[in-house]
Amino acid sequence: MAKLTQLIDNEVFQAYATYATIVLLKMMLMSLITAYFRITRKAFANPEDTASFGKGESAKKYLRSDPDVERVRRNTQSLSLFL
């Protein structure tokens, strides 16, 4: 079995680790961006998410689809396809 130092010095492993780190960081960042857009645009997908903005009928107006939020959400979903 190869020693850990040999594995770390391998160019292929270094490239894989670099790209995996970039993809994971981007995925985490995109989830924060999606949350930011949902909160600032007040466009939520679930009734549970609207609890802090109102109860009952007043919360239903926040259950909507916003084009900016959907663009960020689709971008995040397409990113997860590559994992």
Side-chain angles (χ1 to χ4, degrees), residues 5-48:
T5 55
Q6 291 174 335
L7 184 63
I8 292 174
D9 291 336
N10 189 350
E11 289 181 25
V12 175
F13 178 76
Q14 287 178 350
Y16 175 78
T18 301
Y19 292 124
T21 303
I22 290 169
V23 168
L24 289 174
L25 288 174
K26 184 177 179 187
M27 192 169 64
M28 287 189 267
L29 178 65
M30 292 304 290
S31 67
L32 293 174
I33 292 172
T34 303
Y36 171 78
F37 271 82
R38 283 198 185 277
I39 292 170
T40 58
R41 307 292 196 279
K42 294 182 182 171
F44 298 100
N46 298 319
E48 295 88 14

Side-chain angles (χ1 to χ4, degrees), residues 44-83:
F44 298 100
N46 298 319
E48 295 88 14
D49 298 337
T50 63
S52 62
F53 294 102
K55 300 280 185 198
E57 294 297 320
S58 65
K60 286 187 179 180
K61 67 182 177 181
Y62 299 118
L63 292 174
R64 60 186 178 86
S65 177
D66 185 83
D68 293 333
V69 173
E70 289 302 312
R71 187 181 73 239
V72 173
R73 187 187 63 80
R74 282 191 313 270
N75 191 2
T76 303
Q77 285 180 339
S78 67
L79 176 66
S80 65
L81 291 176
F82 294 109
L83 293 178

